[in-house]
Amino acid sequence: MINQAILILSTLLMGLSLSENSTNLTIQVDVQGENAGLVQLLLFKGAKGFPDQASAAIETASAKVQSGKAVFKFKNLETGVYAVSAFHDVDGDGVMRKNLFGIPKDLYGFSNDARGTFSAPTFESASFQLSRGEHTISFTLK
């Protein structure tokens, strides 16, 4: 009985130490007034390719919009500096719609709710630090 209790306790402690040593990120994207479509998201570790080169992103993901939000979960990331870009994919084709002048027709946004003046924000303005543990960030598509 005592050996079984020790085994259970050590298993629980090992599980706690594993979660403390991992880096997990939950991202909540607010899509105000929307309840349909997808949010397409790119997660970057470093400035290369930010904000729109999917081939340079370390993670790409899509999630359904439900009650004005889309939630993403990433597990076992490396510690470091990251930034996120996302857009509301109304028609689910994976492509941001733009007008004749290249101005987005879909809602879009970046971590830290970063905004550029006449272009996308810099990686630095959208970046955040991830250390070991559980992290949650949120931003709004506009």
Side-chain angles (χ1 to χ4, degrees), residues 19 22-26 74-77 130-131 133-136:
S19 65
S22 62
T23 303
N24 300 322
L25 174 64
T26 299
F74 299 99
K75 297 197 176 290
N76 300 317
L77 296 171
L130 276 186
S131 55
E134 300 289 328
H135 301 275
T136 300

Side-chain angles (χ1 to χ4, degrees), residues 64-87:
K64 287 183 180 181
V65 175
Q66 296 178 328
S67 301
K69 297 180 185 341
V71 178
F72 301 84
K73 294 184 183 275
F74 299 99
K75 297 197 176 290
N76 300 317
L77 296 171
E78 295 179 7
T79 60
V81 179
Y82 290 82
V84 176
S85 64
F87 74 94

Side-chain angles (χ1 to χ4, degrees), residues 88-119:
H88 183 215
D89 187 1
V90 176
D91 56 11
D93 68 356
V95 178
M96 178 183 271
R97 298 174 305 145
K98 297 180 181 177
N99 69 16
L100 293 173
F101 302 104
I103 298 170
K105 293 167 83 174
D106 293 319
L107 299 174
Y108 63 94
F110 307 92
S111 43
N112 296 335
D113 281 317
R115 289 281 172 205
T117 306
F118 293 105
S119 63

